[in-house]
Amino acid sequence: TVYFSINNWKNPPIVSLVRRKGFDSEELLNFRMPEKLEKRFIESNGKHKGVFAVDGEIRDWLKKELDC
């Protein structure tokens, strides 16, 4: 399985492309989202540390960037 996630354990939050096979996982790519999306994400989830699903406007931004 390959998927995107948002890691909010450190500041700033990082978008990761992850490949998972069984219990093993590998981060294939890490990058920051645009500043305005990052700011809104921190405002809505910043107090909660963890790994989040990519949804809403961040998913829309990724789809646009990936042309899909």
Side-chain angles (χ1 to χ4, degrees):
T1 304
V2 178
Y3 58 90
F4 285 100
S5 65
I6 302 171
N7 186 326
N8 194 32
W9 282 105
K10 295 180 181 178
N11 194 13
I14 299 294
V15 178
S16 298
L17 179 62
V18 179
R19 178 181 11 205
R20 180 172 291 282
K21 184 175 181 183
F23 291 108
D24 297 325
S25 68
E26 175 185 10
E27 290 183 356
L28 302 174
L29 180 65
N30 292 306
F31 55 94
R32 289 180 67 174
M33 61 189 96
E35 190 175 327
K36 76 175 192 178
L37 293 178
E38 188 176 278
K39 182 178 177 186
R40 285 198 284 259
F41 178 83
I42 291 170
E43 288 171 356
S44 63
N45 296 301
K47 295 178 183 175
H48 305 287
K49 299 297 182 190
V51 178
F52 296 82
V54 173
D55 60 2
E57 64 183 343
I58 298 171
R59 182 185 59 218
D60 295 340
W61 166 73
L62 273 173
K63 283 183 170 183
K64 182 180 174 190
E65 291 296 307
L66 296 171
D67 195 28
C68 60

